[in-house]
């Protein structure tokens, strides 16, 4: 005799609470909570988005090696928790600008995989009609995908200035890599952003290598979250989507409260 039990979602909890790592803080008395609540729907959404980005990037890697994707191709596999954690903590009306490793953010901001792959392969059906390729992808409130190392950081501050000028309660996520963290234009941008209290969140995605050079060989200090000096900072585990989400929520509240950049 065989008994078959029918199971449905009623047997499972709708949400769960997770312990997350405590952040290192700079110029802050308190940081984000060390617990995070995630619903079933959120968990499925995060997993599906990260898995889709991973599959898309692995296929892009294959197409690049087959010379179907030509020119440059900067992949985002291994960093999926960063863009997903950031995206789910902001509003669609908020703004994002990043460097050339942009495929994951392009998808998270709403561009279909088909359009991203079409763009990578130089087709008219791409998100910028095949003219941008791997490095230059755009969509509403997403400003690329920028090829010059670190040059997107002052642009991000300009977007944040526009948000403040027009009285919009919006923020701009301005991303760069550890390889760009030593650029002089970044420190100039920090100065103006702090001076004008711009709603700008500066984010260094530290994957430990800039153009193949290990961070310790390129930077006298690798504590990038302290680089703003007079700007508050946090160091977070970028491999944990919940850590990234909670820190981003904390940073967004900081900016929306008129406290300036972080």
């Amino acid at each position: 005799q065989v008994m078959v039990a029918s199971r449905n979602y009623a047997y499972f909890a709708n949400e769960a609470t997770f312990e997350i790592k405590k952040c290192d803080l700079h110029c802050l008395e308190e940081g984000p909570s060390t617990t995070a609540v995630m619903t079933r729907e959120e968990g499925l959404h995060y997993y599906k988005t990260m898995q889709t980005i991973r599959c898309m990037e692995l296929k892009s890697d294959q197409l690049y090696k087959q010379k179907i994707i030509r020119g440059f191709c900067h992949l985002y596999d291994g960093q999926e928790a960063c863009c997903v954690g950031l995206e789910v903590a902001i509003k669609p009306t908020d703004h994002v600008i990043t460097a050339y490793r942009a495929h994951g953010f392009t998808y998270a901001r709403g561009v279909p995989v088909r359009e991203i792959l079409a763009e990578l392969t130089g087709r008219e059906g791409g998100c910028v009609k095949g003219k941008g390729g791997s490095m230059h992808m755009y969509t509403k409130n997403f400003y690329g995908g920028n090829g010059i190392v670190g040059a997107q950081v002052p642009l991000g501050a300009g977007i944040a200035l526009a948000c403040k000028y027009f009285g919009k309660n919006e923020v701009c996520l301005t991303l760069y890599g550890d390889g760009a963290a030593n650029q002089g234009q970044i420190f100039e941008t920090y100065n103006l952003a702090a001076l004008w209290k711009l709603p700008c969140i500066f984010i260094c995605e530290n994957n430990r290598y800039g153009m193949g050079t290990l961070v310790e060989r390129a930077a006298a200090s690798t504590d990038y979250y302290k680089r703003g000096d007079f700007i508050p900072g946090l160091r977070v585990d970028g491999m944990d989507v919940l850590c990234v989400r909670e820190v981003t929520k904390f940073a967004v509240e900081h900016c929306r409260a008129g406290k300036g950049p972080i």
Side-chain angles (χ1 to χ4, degrees):
Q1 186 177 11
V2 179
M3 294 185 64
V4 179
S6 175
R7 303 182 71 186
N8 55 41
Y9 282 130
Y11 287 87
F12 299 95
N14 187 51
E15 63 181 35
T17 302
F18 297 87
E19 293 290 330
I20 58 176
K21 293 180 183 177
K22 187 177 181 180
C23 297
D24 296 325
L25 306 178
H26 171 66
C27 293
L28 288 168
E29 293 182 2
E30 294 183 0
S33 172
T34 55
T35 60
V37 177
M38 182 172 65
T39 66
R40 182 193 308 117
E41 289 74 18
E42 288 173 340
L44 289 170
H45 172 65
Y46 302 165
Y47 178 76
K48 182 180 179 181
T49 307
M50 290 191 288
Q51 184 71 1
T52 302
I53 294 169
R54 174 64 63 93
C55 292
M56 178 180 71
E57 295 296 73
L58 293 178
K59 177 53 68 175
S60 300
D61 182 38
Q62 184 184 47
L63 292 172
Y64 183 69
K65 289 170 180 173
Q66 292 171 343
K67 297 189 178 181
I68 296 173
I69 293 175
R70 308 303 292 264
F72 295 102
C73 184
H74 298 91
L75 301 176
Y76 199 72
D77 48 323
Q79 298 179 218
E80 296 89 354
C82 290
C83 71
V84 175
L86 289 164
E87 180 62 36
V88 298
I90 61 175
K91 298 176 181 179
T93 52
D94 290 321
H95 309 270
V96 179
I97 186 168
T98 188
Y100 42 71
R101 206 174 298 278
H103 309 165
F105 285 98
T106 307
Y107 178 73
R109 289 257 90 184
V111 177
V113 172
R114 185 183 184 90
E115 289 186 24
I116 295 172
L117 292 177
E119 187 60 42
L120 286 168
T121 52
R123 286 165 166 76
E124 189 179 4
C127 53
V128 286
K129 301 188 183 300
K131 297 178 180 179
S134 174
M135 291 195 289
H136 306 290
M137 297 183 177
Y138 310 92
T139 189
K140 185 174 177 61
N141 296 330
F142 176 62
Y143 307 83
N146 293 266
I148 299 175
V149 177
Q152 73 280 2
V153 177
L155 296 180
I159 295 166
L161 175 62
C163 292
K164 185 173 182 178
Y165 182 83
F166 289 113
K168 297 179 178 179
N169 193 23
E170 298 169 357
V171 301
C172 181
L173 273 57
T174 302
L175 293 108
Y176 56 97
D178 49 281
N182 302 315
Q183 286 271 331
Q185 59 191 322
I186 290 180
F187 294 90
E188 295 174 34
T189 304
Y190 288 162
N191 179 64
L192 284 178
L195 191 65
W196 296 341
K197 291 190 178 299
L198 301 182
C200 193
I201 303 173
F202 297 105
I203 302 157
C204 178
E205 287 187 293
N206 181 8
N207 57 21
R208 294 190 54 76
Y209 285 88
M211 292 300 290
T213 302
L214 187 64
V215 290
E216 283 80 7
R217 294 180 59 201
S221 170
T222 57
D223 288 336
Y224 299 113
Y225 71 108
K226 295 181 179 179
R227 288 291 190 90
D229 189 13
F230 37 78
I231 297 177
L234 308 97
R235 177 161 53 191
V236 58
D237 180 5
M239 302 301 288
D240 186 329
V241 67
L242 292 181
C243 280
V244 178
R245 185 192 74 176
E246 293 306 306
V247 169
T248 307
K249 286 181 178 179
F250 178 88
V252 167
E253 290 176 6
H254 176 94
C255 286
R256 293 203 206 279
K259 297 179 181 179
I262 188 168

